[in-house]
Amino acid sequence: MNESVYSEDAISVLRDAFRNKIAHMAHPNYVFVERGRGVRRNTWRIGQDTMSEHFQILEDRNLVTTQPRPWEVSFTHRFPISIRVFRDDLVKSMKKYISELEGSSEKQENFAQ
């Protein structure tokens, strides 16, 4: 995974916004409130045309108007996700992890637990 793209802040947003929702078969919220470093109301956008902004947390005060609710929701930050970049980074990370796993009996033992 390209560490220069995935700052600690971006990884935190990814984990908090998507991990629990996806793991438990729900749709991530269109806007979620993050309270760790002040209050940010984050939104996200997945697409193919966001490669140059992939996983940058951008200040952008606006409204989400397309969601399954009949009212608008305000946000203060957005983070675009490029499907292509994210997929490529995940594949690279998995290959690296498998290689490291195959070469380390300690990691294999941890993996088996």
Side-chain angles (χ1 to χ4, degrees), residues 1-8 10-11 54-56 85 89:
M1 195 168 281
N2 184 350
E3 287 85 6
S4 65
V5 173
Y6 300 94
S7 67
E8 281 188 45
I11 291 170
H54 177 68
F55 259 86
Q56 294 180 35
V85 173
D89 287 344

Side-chain angles (χ1 to χ4, degrees), residues 87-100:
R87 178 206 59 206
D88 292 348
D89 287 344
L90 288 172
V91 169
K92 287 177 196 172
S93 294
M94 288 185 295
K95 287 179 179 179
K96 181 179 177 184
Y97 178 74
I98 289 169
S99 176
E100 289 177 5

Side-chain angles (χ1 to χ4, degrees), residues 10 18 20 40 45 49 53 55 58-59 62 65 93 108 110:
F18 293 97
N20 285 333
R40 286 195 313 208
R45 180 171 170 256
D49 58 340
E53 295 180 332
F55 259 86
L58 307 168
E59 189 169 340
N62 212 325
T65 57
S93 294
Q108 290 174 20
N110 288 340

Side-chain angles (χ1 to χ4, degrees), residues 9-10 13 40-45 50 52-62 75-81:
D9 198 21
V13 168
R40 286 195 313 208
R41 297 176 57 82
N42 297 303
T43 191
W44 49 275
R45 180 171 170 256
T50 58
S52 64
E53 295 180 332
H54 177 68
F55 259 86
Q56 294 180 35
I57 299 172
L58 307 168
E59 189 169 340
D60 183 6
R61 296 176 185 279
N62 212 325
F75 62 88
T76 62
H77 293 77
R78 66 179 168 85
F79 57 97
I81 302 169

Side-chain angles (χ1 to χ4, degrees), residues 10-76:
I11 291 170
S12 174
V13 168
L14 175 66
R15 182 190 62 240
D16 295 344
F18 293 97
R19 188 244 167 238
N20 285 333
K21 294 290 186 179
I22 292 172
H24 300 290
M25 307 297 283
H27 188 281
N29 294 328
Y30 285 95
V31 174
F32 69 96
V33 178
E34 181 185 22
R35 291 184 170 85
R37 293 163 291 279
V39 176
R40 286 195 313 208
R41 297 176 57 82
N42 297 303
T43 191
W44 49 275
R45 180 171 170 256
I46 295 175
Q48 294 183 27
D49 58 340
T50 58
M51 293 173 83
S52 64
E53 295 180 332
H54 177 68
F55 259 86
Q56 294 180 35
I57 299 172
L58 307 168
E59 189 169 340
D60 183 6
R61 296 176 185 279
N62 212 325
L63 298 172
V64 172
T65 57
T66 55
Q67 60 176 336
R69 291 191 174 98
W71 59 85
E72 297 175 336
V73 179
S74 65
F75 62 88
T76 62

